[in-house]
Amino acid sequence: MSYQTDPHPTVSGRSNPRRRVLVVGGVAGGASCAARLRRLDESAEIAVFDRGPFVSFANCGLPYYVGNVIEDEGALLVASPEMFHQRFNIAVSTDTEVTGIDRPARVISVRDLRSGVSRSERYDALVLSPGAAPIRPLLPGVDLAGVFAIRNIPDSRRIRSWISDRCAQTAVVVGGGFIGLEMVENLIHRSLAVTVLEKLPQFMPPLDPEMAAPIKEHLATNGVTLHLGDGLARIDENPGGGLTVVSEHGARLPADLVILAIGVRPEIALARAAGLAIGSRGGIVVDAQMRTSDPNIWAVGDAVEVPDALTGQETVLPLAGPANREGRVAAESIAGRATQFRGVQATAVVGVLGLTVASTGASEKGLRRAGVTNFEKVYLHPGHHAGYYPGARPIHLKLLFSKPDGRILGAQAVGREGVEKRIDVIAAAIQLGGTVHDLAAAELCYAPQFGAAKDPVNLAGMLAENVLNGDMPVADWLALGSDVLLLDVRDPDEFAAGHIPGAVNLPLSQLRDRYAELPQNRDIWISCGVGQRAYYATRFLAQHGYRAWNLSGGYATYTAFRDAGLTA
Amino acid sequence: MSYQTDPHPTVSGRSNPRRRVLVVGGVAGGASCAARLRRLDESAEIAVFDRGPFVSFANCGLPYYVGNVIEDEGALLVASPEMFHQRFNIAVSTDTEVTGIDRPARVISVRDLRSGVSRSERYDALVLSPGAAPIRPLLPGVDLAGVFAIRNIPDSRRIRSWISDRCAQTAVVVGGGFIGLEMVENLIHRSLAVTVLEKLPQFMPPLDPEMAAPIKEHLATNGVTLHLGDGLARIDENPGGGLTVVSEHGARLPADLVILAIGVRPEIALARAAGLAIGSRGGIVVDAQMRTSDPNIWAVGDAVEVPDALTGQETVLPLAGPANREGRVAAESIAGRATQFRGVQATAVVGVLGLTVASTGASEKGLRRAGVTNFEKVYLHPGHHAGYYPGARPIHLKLLFSKPDGRILGAQAVGREGVEKRIDVIAAAIQLGGTVHDLAAAELCYAPQFGAAKDPVNLAGMLAENVLNGDMPVADWLALGSDVLLLDVRDPDEFAAGHIPGAVNLPLSQLRDRYAELPQNRDIWISCGVGQRAYYATRFLAQHGYRAWNLSGGYATYTAFRDAGLTA
């Protein structure tokens, strides 16, 4: 089917003359753009080209299709070429590659991958939505049979049949980010023994290391073999069949299959060949209306650079949500509307074997990388709902905010339940320029099974307020070991069960009787279980003239720093 | 124990002279206020008086204690008098009633309910947190044994033992609001046959009737007997034991116990007797710092009137979250800080037998009551996560927003999963003055099991944008039956399974071929399953010069209006 032989020539609309709008890439951004444009302009001639056999498929569902959580491949197909034609009068050509752009002539070269026949197509407006390709490192063995990356439905099919045809028992996943973790969960769901090889010493690179620490423990307790801080060196083929993944540190990991989940790289070959501006982050440069350096060409999705809404710096963020909104913005720009893309704040979530990890806005390392220093942070570990209602599970939460205005900069959370809910609320607050005071005053849903009278979001805001107004000076976990008095105000049994090296124990319940025993001339860094009792002690001692500091998040945060190898 | 014989006299702080701050009522607002004040002022003398045997107990947990979901009564006790004394040097007197306030002398009369002995106590600052009392209508039989209201732990105990001692089989719950629904769930959890009697024709009075409609069906399918639109007339004692609830319409409902959940009324007797200003809504009048008409007296919690953050009108909102924040604000005011309470937006949630009902901001009826007319609304029914991932359940969502600026006014949602998450996000947006454009552009957590590339919040915003910019004129469900063409663009099998009376069927898939059959000179109101296909059809027809309108939310919304008795 081609729009050239469109059986339903559209009437000419009132807005534009019959323009030809061509879209390269029919997933997420491209599909959204085409469908949105039709709703705005009946008169335009719209055609979509995709190199693959499908358009508009659910990219983010692929790992779950491999894991057979999604059993029916058809479920992944959000829309078919027939539906695009019928509903939107949009001509979709699959298995069709766009091989070149003649910008002066406003013509693209198109090749039918089945027939091999090429043709050229004129455009008035061109939209590029080529996406991003999985990174395949130039290492020995990465192209062996049984080594897979996962980007599309055919990839998923190949992995599925490789697992079932060979009754695969063992898998090595290279990379501990979003896709890596989702593949771990799904391969385990397929009953494989899974090993993860991650070059960084932490999972989920977007997170700060101490916030990623619980993932490590969670995977280990779920039987996943972990090699963190160790990269891929090569992959060998075993004489008897199967593969051996060899790490940079020399570990030899047997694998019936290997998943490369190292990350993705924007597909810019076509754009670069056409002389479009490419940014420093390796993505296509676009303006707020998703227009490239060529006024007749727009670009959307994983291949473009977009501004970080917080820092203003250009970034590449391969996520489906922004891709869809970018496609929408491009369509409105083509239709003559002034809509602008607001940039991204990197809100993301991943679930792995019952653990949920989510974040929004800037991380601490991201802020430092951007040279931002006037910020503070708090850690807390509240239950996901009221503690008096059965089944409350802790949410490990880190909130970053600027000094002195209290503007929210970012948040990271890890836990079992209600994790992404809190990140979504904070994401909305960040989007609207909210402060920690707004979080403290937020009026959120509360019933015992859903939250608490002081929701974790409220608590995060209140703690941050305490820091900003000087009520609760916070000590630096990374400076543990400096010459301060470490005071643990938990009860003796808690202290005995484990405490920060060098800490002395004076339970909060005895503090009012015994505070005189403490030195007035030394900094006192106070900790407890999760930070609350230490906060009470900090307030008490500060008002009695002591130099009291709170170790935010208490022993729970200490163990996270320790497990991340950041402190003794 | 009384602060008069405090074994640990506090040192004099640097901030204030040793002031005496007395708090009347030790739950939620009062407890928060006392604890917060101590953190701000070590030097103040703080005492809390409560009429009941407990302070700081989890009010919102009481129905679940009755239902034995919370088995241990101790779990409800957030803090004990001992803990208040030990941690905060706060003297708590339980079973102690404050019987009068001598404002000129700054003295309260206090009565020990165990000894009957009265005494007077001087204050520098007085905080009233008396709460609200369940409404007991003046009807025959409401004081019979076996007729209960639930406000505190002793009430819950009585209901628990009444159920177990008499092996109660049947219960009538009078009132279908928050407490009523929570009691229904918990009585069913105790294996009782439950009947609900609600004077209004809908459950959850804060919601608009069409949004409350699904609750009715859900309770019915769970075996609850419903009497909506029928009030309580009297309660008779059966000769053979047990009770009979007689409704205004003459229904006779057998009951081993009756729960009165008609609502609560602010406890203002003490304040009124003291001559403090009482507002038109029957609550104690306070300023933004929770100060009453007497500069030395503050009031917080269910007994006070607070401004609605959207309309500015004074309201009484008996919810724990605001009560806690009000207590905090009062403490900061007493400590000399300028913190102000931002008002309330009535964010609330209730879970009943697997259904979640949540709302924030204004309802449509609330807006009309307030005389607001320049608003619009959209209905949608998106899945709680991506449809291609197994287990997606619909969220029925209504979004109210002002014209033409698009400011979000309120939202209501009903469904199984992810309901309160979406309301929390919208609540945060409302708090920060967000518009529907902000919701459309919101960057929220997306992975298949958590949400969608276009989250329900995004979709709500996008639909609202379409209404605001004229892309999607919406028809009025309540005007069904007027002389318009009702066009149903679903497929014939869907249409045959049920459709709006008088509608004609022209599937979207045939619209491009057959649209010429439609009249150009008539308003065409278009519907489908949930509104999406009708939106596509509306855009198509509008651009072809037809007078096309969208029936927002499609057949799913129609059935809600029909079940609510609002349309044929």
Side-chain angles (χ1 to χ4, degrees), chain A residues 159-444:
Chain A
I159 300 173
R160 281 171 66 97
S161 46
W162 183 273
I163 292 174
S164 39
D165 298 354
R166 305 171 182 243
C167 308
Q169 306 289 315
T170 59
V172 170
V173 174
V174 182
F178 290 97
I179 305 301
L181 289 178
E182 290 183 339
M183 286 308 298
V184 166
E185 169 170 300
N186 283 286
L187 291 171
I188 283 178
H189 194 255
R190 294 291 299 265
S191 314
L192 276 77
V194 180
T195 299
V196 186
L197 188 64
E198 165 60 54
K199 191 171 177 65
L200 290 175
Q202 71 169 84
F203 284 102
M204 289 297 289
L207 263 61
D208 291 321
E210 76 278 14
M211 293 306 293
I215 306 171
K216 199 161 43 176
E217 187 206 354
H218 182 73
L219 292 187
T221 52
N222 278 271
V224 181
T225 307
L226 309 182
H227 288 263
L228 290 176
D230 191 4
L232 174 67
R234 69 172 193 278
I235 303 170
D236 298 339
E237 205 160 14
N238 301 341
L243 304 164
T244 297
V245 174
V246 181
S247 80
E248 290 176 342
H249 293 178
R252 302 180 56 80
L253 313 169
D256 296 328
L257 76 155
V258 177
I259 303 290
L260 297 177
I262 302 170
V264 297
R265 190 176 286 130
E267 290 253 24
I268 56 169
L270 185 65
R272 172 174 278 145
L276 296 177
I278 305 299
S280 56
R281 312 302 307 278
I284 302 170
V285 173
V286 293
D287 64 14
Q289 294 187 292
M290 310 311 297
R291 203 186 288 254
T292 68
S293 53
D294 181 322
N296 301 310
I297 303 178
W298 287 254
V300 300
D302 297 358
V304 305
E305 290 187 5
V306 286
D308 179 310
L310 281 134
T311 65
Q313 299 181 330
E314 293 300 313
T315 179
V316 170
L317 186 74
L319 293 176
N324 276 277
R325 282 188 291 284
E326 288 159 18
R328 216 173 142 85
V329 170
E332 300 192 344
S333 172
I334 292 168
R337 298 191 179 189
T339 317
Q340 300 214 339
F341 185 64
R342 62 171 285 265
V344 293
Q345 63 191 68
T347 305
V349 64
V350 64
V352 57
L353 304 168
L355 193 72
T356 303
V357 182
S359 60
T360 186
S363 64
E364 182 172 357
K365 57 178 153 184
L367 289 171
R368 300 203 184 283
R369 225 184 286 116
V372 180
T373 56
N374 62 330
F375 67 88
E376 250 321 335
K377 60 189 172 180
V378 290
Y379 296 91
L380 58 162
H381 312 273
H384 83 284
H385 63 49
Y388 63 81
Y389 188 88
R393 306 294 297 266
I395 296 176
H396 305 294
L397 184 56
K398 178 182 187 177
L399 180 71
L400 292 146
F401 51 98
S402 69
K403 287 185 303 189
D405 61 1
R407 194 169 63 98
I408 310 157
L409 298 176
Q412 301 162 50
V414 184
R416 296 282 187 149
E417 308 269 339
V419 171
E420 92 286 0
K421 173 167 83 170
R422 275 62 187 212
I423 291 300
D424 276 353
V425 171
I426 296 173
I430 288 176
Q431 178 191 357
L432 291 160
T435 67
V436 298
H437 309 292
D438 297 315
L439 297 187
E443 193 180 323
L444 303 171

Side-chain angles (χ1 to χ4, degrees), chain B residues 98-109 120-123 126 270 273-275 294 296-297:
Chain B
V98 174
T99 54
I101 308 171
D102 179 344
R103 291 167 48 202
R106 288 211 226 137
V107 165
I108 59 172
S109 308
S120 64
E121 301 287 357
R122 182 186 60 76
Y123 66 82
L126 179 66
L270 184 65
D294 181 321
N296 301 308
I297 304 179

Side-chain angles (χ1 to χ4, degrees), chain A residues 74-201:
Chain A
L76 296 172
L77 302 176
V78 178
S80 64
E82 293 62 33
M83 196 222 243
F84 270 100
H85 173 62
Q86 235 172 13
R87 272 197 187 172
F88 303 118
N89 185 26
I90 292 172
V92 172
S93 308
T94 54
D95 297 298
T96 304
E97 183 164 20
V98 174
T99 54
I101 307 171
D102 180 344
R103 290 167 49 201
R106 288 208 225 142
V107 165
I108 59 171
S109 307
V110 173
R111 192 150 144 282
D112 183 320
L113 297 176
R114 285 156 304 199
S115 67
V117 176
S118 289
R119 65 181 193 272
S120 61
E121 300 287 357
R122 183 186 59 76
Y123 66 82
D124 297 298
L126 179 66
V127 180
L128 304 179
S129 180
I135 295 170
R136 272 186 178 270
L138 291 169
L139 294 170
V142 293
D143 295 324
L144 287 170
V147 180
F148 302 93
I150 181 162
R151 182 187 187 181
N152 51 38
I153 289 177
D155 291 337
S156 319
R157 273 191 203 148
R158 279 189 287 273
I159 300 173
R160 281 171 66 97
S161 46
W162 183 273
I163 292 174
S164 39
D165 298 354
R166 305 171 182 243
C167 308
Q169 306 289 315
T170 59
V172 170
V173 174
V174 182
F178 290 97
I179 305 301
L181 289 178
E182 290 183 339
M183 286 308 298
V184 166
E185 169 170 300
N186 283 286
L187 291 171
I188 283 178
H189 194 255
R190 294 291 299 265
S191 314
L192 276 77
V194 180
T195 299
V196 186
L197 188 64
E198 165 60 54
K199 191 171 177 65
L200 290 175

